[in-house]
Amino acid sequence: MNEHDTIVVKIARRTLETPEIVCIEFRAPDGALLPAFDAGAHIDVHVAPDVVRQYSLCNSPSERDRYVIGVLRDPASRGGSIAVHDGFADGALVEIGVPRNHFPMCPDVRVHLIAGGIGVTPLLCMAEALQAQGRDFVMHYCTRSAKGTAFLNRIRQAPFASRVAFHFDDGDASQKLDIDAEFSRIGDDEVIYVCGPSGFIEWVCAAAERAGIPKHRVRFEYFNAKPVDTSHDGAFDVRIASTGQTLHVPADRAITAVLADVGIDIYMSCGEGTCGTCMTRVLEGEIEHRDVFLTDDEHAAGEMFTPCCSRAKSSLLVLDL
């Protein structure tokens, strides 16, 4: 199947993991096997008309009969989490995309999984896969409290439970994660995977930098875009390389919206630079990157960007379209 293909699944079960986190289990309506996925994969979920959101799969990749996601109810979201919590009922049919993976695991290295809150979902899937492969790993799971910890019982009953340390903000100081001490013990060939709120990821990345861990050994995935100050946004032009057509992008419009006006539809999903679906090559011009998908090195190279949210520093961008 193409990565942009969609399928219809049934909500087989919904469970409140915590008062704010709901677990949704999808199955094929006819009981057929679902497309395979690897640890770290996510699916696009059509949560409402014209509203598509990305959610990491948190069950074992060996399970072909179901997909499981965990969704945090976020009052500050753009409506996706609220639609899932309030509108997804047992037995309902939902359109989803086939699994895509922008957060794959490295083979044959020791792994450190560091989860913050709902960021546990892709890392839980990784833990399942690492255990099945007999690989060495440790997992640190940071949450506000035991009551607010999703999948707590599942992890405590898992075969890899002894590899997981829980860290609760409201707990005793002795059980909180000493990130500097943890990173001081990491070997030269070990890799860190971190997922959670942007502030949590930045905290982990800063600790890795203090420990002298190279950036390529710290892998992360954001659930939400970073806040961006748009008050100083200006207008610029984009040129379509294949036709020479030049389009004006006003200060208050996205590049993808301007392209859509003239019939150039770039497939996108999140609309905020987290999923990488709309990635487009830039042939000329200076990019103002606003995504959290590309790495720092990829930003510096200036060859690819996310037109759903990123803009131009120069007066013109020439797009490979």
Side-chain angles (χ1 to χ4, degrees):
M1 299 182 74
N2 184 285
E3 70 167 10
H4 299 320
D5 288 343
T6 62
I7 58 176
V8 174
V9 292
K10 180 177 69 174
I11 298 175
R13 180 182 305 160
R14 54 169 288 147
T15 308
L16 273 180
E17 284 289 325
T18 76
E20 300 300 324
I21 297 175
V22 65
C23 179
I24 304 290
E25 177 184 315
F26 296 120
R27 291 181 182 265
D30 61 358
L33 295 181
L34 295 168
F37 67 96
D38 296 320
H42 69 270
I43 54 174
D44 293 341
V45 180
H46 295 247
V47 299
D50 300 319
V51 179
V52 181
R53 296 292 180 264
Q54 294 73 43
Y55 297 107
S56 296
L57 295 173
C58 60
N59 55 309
S60 170
S62 65
E63 296 177 344
R64 294 287 308 281
D65 58 336
R66 66 176 188 155
Y67 295 150
V68 179
I69 62 172
V71 182
L72 171 69
R73 186 184 187 93
D74 182 3
S77 76
R78 297 170 299 142
S81 70
I82 304 300
V84 172
H85 275 258
D86 295 346
F88 275 28
D90 284 346
L93 298 179
V94 179
E95 183 180 2
I96 66 170
V98 297
R100 294 182 290 144
N101 198 345
H102 300 308
F103 195 37
M105 287 195 304
C106 292
D108 305 324
V109 294
R110 188 169 189 263
V111 172
H112 296 252
L113 306 175
I114 304 181
I118 193 61
V120 72
T121 50
L123 304 188
L124 185 52
C125 182
M126 290 182 179
E128 297 276 10
L130 289 164
Q131 176 70 23
Q133 295 166 15
R135 290 174 56 182
D136 190 15
F137 73 97
V138 295
M139 180 175 175
H140 293 276
Y141 186 6
C142 304
T143 64
R144 291 191 177 94
S145 65
K147 182 180 178 181
T149 300
F151 309 109
L152 181 63
N153 290 332
R154 172 180 163 183
I155 294 171
R156 284 177 169 170
Q157 296 169 12
F160 54 82
S162 62
R163 299 178 182 270
V164 182
F166 294 95
H167 309 280
F168 307 125
D169 290 349
D170 66 353
D172 187 85
S174 63
Q175 53 84 57
K176 294 183 179 180
L177 176 58
D178 186 340
I179 195 74
D180 291 313
E182 177 69 15
F183 285 176
S184 70
R185 298 188 289 268
I186 286 184
D188 291 341
D189 61 347
E190 298 177 13
V191 177
I192 299 163
Y193 289 85
V194 55
C195 189
S198 58
F200 181 82
I201 293 175
E202 289 163 5
W203 174 68
V204 172
C205 289
E209 187 172 1
R210 289 195 301 273
I213 300 170
K215 287 186 176 181
H216 72 271
R217 288 171 46 209
V218 184
R219 313 293 175 85
F220 49 83
E221 184 171 56
Y222 286 92
F223 275 108
N224 300 106
K226 295 180 181 178
V228 175
D229 180 6
T230 61
S231 61
H232 301 293
D233 283 358
F236 56 92
D237 293 333
V238 294
R239 181 177 299 154
I240 310 305
S242 61
T243 65
Q245 182 180 16
T246 299
L247 305 171
H248 186 68
V249 182
D252 61 348
R253 299 197 72 200
I255 295 173
T256 47
V258 172
L259 293 173
D261 286 346
V262 296
I264 302 173
D265 291 319
I266 294 180
Y267 186 85
M268 65 176 187
S269 185
C270 72
E272 58 181 21
T274 59
C275 72
T277 301
C278 66
M279 198 68 60
T280 303
R281 185 173 299 279
V282 175
L283 302 178
E284 294 179 31
E286 188 177 3
I287 305 163
E288 181 180 327
H289 291 287
R290 293 184 175 178
D291 68 281
V292 292
F293 177 77
L294 293 168
T295 65
D296 290 344
D297 289 343
E298 288 169 329
H299 284 164
E303 297 176 352
M304 302 293 291
F305 85 138
T306 53
C308 69
C309 65
S310 297
R311 300 185 68 78
K313 291 182 179 179
S314 56
S315 61
L316 174 70
L317 293 179
V318 179
L319 308 183
D320 187 16
L321 294 171

